[in-house]
Amino acid sequence: QVQLVESGGGSVQAGGSLRLSCAASGRIFVLSAMGWYRQAPGKQRELVAAITSGGSTNYADSVKGRFTISRDNGKNTVSLQMNSLKPEDTAVYYCNLPAGPVSGRNYWGQGTQVTVSS
């Protein structure tokens, strides 16, 4: 069983920064890719950034150059550093451990609200 707990959301003005963290329980964390998704009101949940167990990363085009995903396998955490935030980044952000070779199912955190004002 895996539990994901996000922290670090909040409200910030455009151009500001926030850092989200996700603490994971379970041994499979170090073997699994991890991702950050977001969902804005009235929109579908979308992938923001992902990181493999080995540290390779990929990003949505809308956040490239502004967001950085990282992981600390010793602490079972994955983080999302968000810089140069824009109002369109406003959403609930979710940590994800995807179904795949390591995990038989998707796991989601409870979500954390990020609000960017202009």
Side-chain angles (χ1 to χ4, degrees), residues 50-73:
I51 187 167
T52 67
S53 58
S56 297
T57 59
N58 68 279
Y59 298 92
D61 287 343
S62 59
V63 307
K64 281 180 181 176
R66 299 188 298 121
F67 290 12
T68 302
I69 188 171
S70 61
R71 67 189 297 158
D72 184 334
N73 288 337

Side-chain angles (χ1 to χ4, degrees), residues 72-94:
D72 184 334
N73 288 337
K75 296 181 178 179
N76 269 29
T77 58
V78 59
S79 298
L80 185 68
Q81 178 66 42
M82 304 184 295
N83 298 328
S84 302
L85 282 161
K86 304 176 180 179
E88 52 263 45
D89 294 319
T90 295
V92 179
Y93 284 70
Y94 296 91

Side-chain angles (χ1 to χ4, degrees), residues 31-32 46 60 71 87 90-91 103 106:
L31 301 175
S32 180
E46 63 174 354
R71 67 189 297 158
T90 295
S103 172
N106 259 321

